[in-house]
Amino acid sequence: MLYASGASRRHPECTHQGRSNRLRRAWVESVRAGSKDALAIETLRNWVMSTTLFASTCILIGLGIISVTFAGYDLADPAQALSWVPSTVDIVRVKLLLLAALFFAGFMQFLLALRYYNQAGFVINLPDGFFNGPPAQPIADRRADRGRALHPRAQGRFRAR
């Protein structure tokens, strides 16, 4: 995971996420350049609908796994039939709880995606010069200057990244 994170920062085009980000950026620029408002609305609507479907599916599967885990069924026999490693009821329950935690984490990721899609729906049709605030670099420089006035150990937290 650390390798993928570093690779995406150094060479974003060599990862799937970097290529997808470039594709979405090009799509937004082409939608904003032309009068493709209906396309943008329909595409964002489809993204929101699919994200909502996947999020609700994740939470339902996670809750189903939790209910099976705590229902009192003897889970060692079916688990033993599917595995070569001997397992007890407690180990099977821990594995099911970990699986449910993965589905809950997926649910949270889909919720974050839904949030970003909603934000994109608001921002995509704004005019080009709408945000005339200060650029990002001076803000980062001010954060670095503020860090110099702090204790030497705390300075690293406020450096511009």
Side-chain angles (χ1 to χ4, degrees):
M1 187 163 95
L2 293 175
Y3 173 75
S5 174
S8 68
R9 269 188 261 124
R10 285 188 303 269
H11 308 288
E13 295 297 319
C14 72
T15 63
H16 174 71
Q17 184 178 6
R19 288 191 300 265
S20 295
N21 287 341
R22 186 184 72 182
L23 178 66
R24 279 190 293 273
R25 194 174 302 117
W27 178 78
V28 168
E29 288 173 4
S30 72
V31 165
R32 292 186 73 179
S35 61
K36 301 176 184 174
D37 295 335
L39 173 69
I41 291 169
E42 290 299 316
T43 304
L44 288 172
R45 180 188 62 88
N46 291 340
W47 285 351
V48 166
M49 287 175 55
S50 64
T51 303
T52 304
L53 174 73
F54 289 142
S56 60
T57 303
C58 277
I59 198 74
L60 284 175
I61 291 174
L63 289 174
I65 291 172
I66 293 286
S67 69
V68 166
T69 302
F70 294 118
Y73 299 123
D74 184 22
L75 301 172
D77 293 334
Q80 186 62 36
L82 297 173
S83 176
W84 292 324
V85 180
S87 57
T88 63
V89 175
D90 294 333
I91 292 175
V92 172
R93 285 194 175 132
V94 168
K95 289 179 182 180
L96 286 174
L97 288 175
L98 288 174
L99 186 63
L102 288 175
F103 277 106
F104 291 142
F107 171 73
M108 292 304 296
Q109 292 297 317
F110 283 121
L111 283 183
L112 287 175
L114 186 61
R115 183 182 124 202
Y116 292 138
Y117 293 153
N118 277 335
Q119 182 181 7
F122 288 117
V123 173
I124 197 166
N125 279 329
L126 291 176
D128 287 333
F130 188 77
F131 294 110
N132 291 329
Q137 189 59 34
I139 293 172
D141 291 340
R142 278 186 277 168
R143 284 183 67 194
D145 292 339
R146 186 174 36 170
R148 287 189 196 102
L150 297 174
H151 191 272
R153 287 187 205 157
Q155 285 180 4
R157 295 184 200 152
F158 292 102
R159 291 216 170 97
R161 295 178 185 172

